[in-house]
Amino acid sequence: MGFKKDFMWGVGSAAYQIEGGAFEDGKGPSIWDTFTHEPGHVKDDDNGDIACDHYHRYEEDASLIAGLGRTVYRFSICWSRIIPDGDGEVNPKGIDFYKRLIDALLSRGVTPCIVLFHWDLPQALEDRGGWLNPESPMWFKRYTEVCAKAFGDKCKLFFTFNEPQCFIGEGYYHGANAPGKKLPMSDMMPMVHNVLIAHGLSVTALRELVPGVKVGYAPTTGGTAPITDSPADVEAARQALFRIDEEWWMWNVPLFSDPVMLGHYPEEDPFFKKYCEFLPENYMEDMRTICQPLDYYGQNIYYAHLWKMGEDGNPEYVKKPTGYAKSLINWAVTPQALYWAPKFLYERYNTPIVITENGMACHDAISLDGKVHDPNRVDYIHRYLRELRRAVDDGVDVAGYFHWSFTDNFEWCSGYTDRFGIVYVDYETQKRIPKDSYYFYKSVVESNGENL
């Protein structure tokens, strides 16, 4: 069976992680501009002021993406670059940058895919309460309208939010990411709800303003996989994926996806029953806005937790074996994540699945021959994509795969220490060096996965 002929092979990036040009051409500050300039938040006190200098080197980067073959480039828009205060005057120089980027991609045969929000809220909006402000969904709707009118003539593929679990949970609950706050659950639930309303308003605006648009949503969480293929263990893994653990409540599927895809919260989940009192009194009325038909359900998946069915009939977590394979940042290498998670998600949401992020951080360095050899990443891509093809062969409608990431970049709180890219970046010179994984992924794209 294999991948469909129109399967989307792609690579991804995020504005703050690669663009640089942080204070150029009228761009307003985002929460990440503020956060990274406060000492102690980021390893080595690094920041994204320059990052990969993509703002000035986008032509070179577009050529490298095109070198992979028939690809889709998934990139985010910096909200404060095109609306400096988030809700006021539009910055024409910011609009012009993204128009030039889109033209550079299209002229090389690369399909642009816009992510409207990848964590970098304008600081001016955070100063007004950010996602806690009941007006925040309307801010996002207006921002979506600006993007749709500016870019929708040439870009027909959009995702609304990337990883709300991260920018809400890590930014406002754990405080590890921008803006570095630690708010109570009484604030978390309204914030989640506002983001979901913003998503629904955004989808509606895109459909109204962009003829032929395809729209998706890109949440994240760790996948689940059964320890054996027995029906009991498979059911344990399925149940584990769609429940909410109170200790790690933000890392879940149903709270962030059931309203979007099914039109209701996971009402029977004990966590939701405990904390739903903090939602607005009329929250169910908002489901008509939140639940909009989507063309794609995206999921960022890097690893899976293993589960079996316990003797008590409840899912039981299985500890990973001693010395298990892991990435530079200690994420388990579990290729079966790209079989079971898409399978479970497709069963539940019945919408074409896109793997919107998947990749591996490695100890990458320039070798004596001037090249960057990353056999661990090559093996990772190979193993994970074989599992994704197995899901396709078993009837899961998988529409695309975006490798994370295109280049090495500013990896949030880790600064420049974690390299995820298939293109190496020398941050002192900004020289780009395609790694071995770049050439392997190119062979996958060119063969539509037949070489796996």
Side-chain angles (χ1 to χ4, degrees):
M1 184 175 173
F3 298 103
K4 296 182 291 187
K5 290 183 178 179
D6 61 351
F7 190 84
M8 292 186 292
W9 295 103
V11 288
S13 70
Y16 189 78
Q17 292 183 272
I18 67 165
E19 283 183 3
F23 309 104
E24 292 185 40
D25 295 334
K27 176 188 169 295
S30 76
I31 55 174
W32 276 93
D33 292 309
T34 302
F35 186 73
T36 58
H37 282 265
E38 296 169 351
H41 290 313
V42 176
K43 187 173 179 62
D44 299 326
D45 284 334
D46 281 327
N47 58 60
D49 291 2
I50 299 174
C52 303
D53 198 29
H54 176 74
Y55 190 68
H56 301 105
R57 298 170 184 264
Y58 66 90
E59 292 272 7
E60 177 185 1
D61 290 340
S63 293
L64 282 168
I65 296 167
L68 291 167
R70 180 180 58 84
T71 45
V72 183
Y73 180 44
R74 179 178 176 267
F75 62 96
S76 73
I77 302 290
C78 174
W79 188 342
S80 62
R81 191 178 294 284
I82 65 172
I83 309 177
D85 67 358
D87 192 37
E89 293 294 319
V90 174
N91 176 25
K93 290 186 178 180
I95 296 288
D96 181 64
F97 166 70
Y98 292 109
K99 284 187 173 183
R100 286 184 281 116
L101 171 60
I102 290 168
D103 285 343
L105 296 168
L106 291 172
S107 69
R108 291 165 171 82
V110 177
T111 301
C113 171
I114 287 175
V115 179
L116 290 169
F117 189 80
H118 197 134
W119 305 12
D120 49 349
L121 187 71
Q123 182 61 49
L125 296 184
E126 180 61 29
D127 294 340
R128 294 166 62 183
W131 295 112
L132 259 179
N133 190 320
E135 296 180 8
S136 57
M138 295 305 295
W139 299 337
F140 194 70
K141 177 176 183 283
R142 195 241 168 169
Y143 161 62
T144 298
E145 291 170 344
V146 170
C147 290
K149 292 173 183 176
F151 314 125
D153 59 333
K154 295 182 179 180
C155 181
K156 304 297 182 181
L157 181 55
F158 287 78
F159 282 80
T160 55
F161 286 97
N162 187 80
E163 299 186 330
Q165 291 90 342
C166 286
F167 70 78
I168 293 175
E170 294 298 333
Y172 295 90
Y173 188 70
H174 283 158
N177 286 348
K181 295 182 178 179
K182 296 183 179 182
L183 303 179
M185 285 305 303
S186 56
D187 287 339
M188 291 296 96
M189 294 299 280
M191 188 177 293
V192 170
H193 195 66
N194 285 339
V195 167
L196 296 180
I197 294 172
H199 160 83
L201 292 173
S202 179
V203 174
T204 301
L206 287 168
R207 297 221 184 274
E208 290 176 352
L209 296 170
V210 182
V213 73
K214 298 287 187 181
V215 186
Y217 172 59
T220 188
T221 191
T224 61
I227 192 66
T228 75
D229 287 350
S230 72
D233 288 346
V234 170
E235 178 58 23
R238 180 185 291 108
Q239 290 182 23
L241 185 63
F242 297 114
R243 73 178 189 181
I244 307 174
D245 180 272
E246 182 162 354
E247 183 179 359
W248 297 99
W249 68 269
M250 71 288 297
W251 303 114
N252 76 86
V253 170
L255 182 64
F256 292 91
S257 294
D258 279 9
V260 167
M261 304 303 296
L262 303 178
H264 59 77
Y265 282 109
E267 286 92 350
E268 299 306 312
D269 189 279
F271 173 90
F272 184 78
K273 288 182 177 180
K274 181 175 180 179
Y275 292 108
C276 65
E277 64 176 295
F278 298 124
L279 288 171
E281 187 175 342
N282 62 342
Y283 74 87
M284 280 304 298
E285 295 179 13
D286 294 323
M287 290 299 153
R288 289 174 292 184
T289 299
I290 292 169
C291 185
Q292 300 295 321
L294 293 178
D295 298 285
Y296 305 116
Y297 177 83
Q299 189 81 16
N300 297 355
I301 304 172
Y302 291 87
Y303 54 82
H305 298 294
L306 305 180
W307 295 84
K308 68 178 182 179
M309 188 63 77
E311 294 182 2
D312 61 356
N314 292 312
E316 183 177 314
Y317 176 75
V318 179
K319 183 181 177 181
K320 296 178 181 65
T322 302
Y324 66 89
K326 54 190 175 182
S327 70
L328 169 64
I329 55 177
N330 294 322
W331 290 356
V333 176
T334 48
Q336 63 268 43
L338 284 199
Y339 175 79
W340 290 106
K343 181 179 178 66
F344 294 150
L345 292 165
Y346 186 61
E347 289 173 353
R348 189 176 184 94
Y349 298 134
N350 194 32
T351 299
I353 303 295
V354 174
I355 305 303
T356 35
E357 286 185 22
N358 171 254
M360 182 187 196
C362 296
H363 287 284
D364 297 324
I366 303 173
S367 298
L368 285 173
D369 61 4
K371 299 178 182 180
V372 179
H373 305 291
D374 54 344
N376 286 5
R377 185 176 290 107
V378 170
D379 186 70
Y380 177 104
I381 296 171
H382 198 163
R383 290 176 183 270
Y384 273 70
L385 287 179
R386 287 183 64 171
E387 289 296 305
L388 187 62
R389 188 178 65 184
R390 186 162 73 97
V392 169
D393 289 343
D394 281 358
V396 178
D397 188 351
V398 182
Y401 169 89
F402 290 86
H403 187 77
W404 186 269
S405 57
F406 166 52
T407 61
D408 296 331
N409 55 39
F410 176 82
E411 194 54 41
W412 308 115
C413 294
S414 298
Y416 295 98
T417 58
D418 298 339
R419 293 181 179 269
F420 274 88
I422 57 173
V423 173
Y424 184 92
V425 177
D426 182 329
Y427 296 113
E428 295 299 316
T429 65
Q430 292 297 336
K431 182 179 179 180
R432 273 80 160 135
I433 303 175
K435 305 175 188 178
D436 288 353
S437 57
Y438 173 95
Y439 296 105
F440 176 73
Y441 189 49
K442 173 183 172 69
S443 73
V444 173
V445 174
E446 291 178 340
S447 71
N448 198 34
E450 291 298 320
N451 66 329
L452 297 169

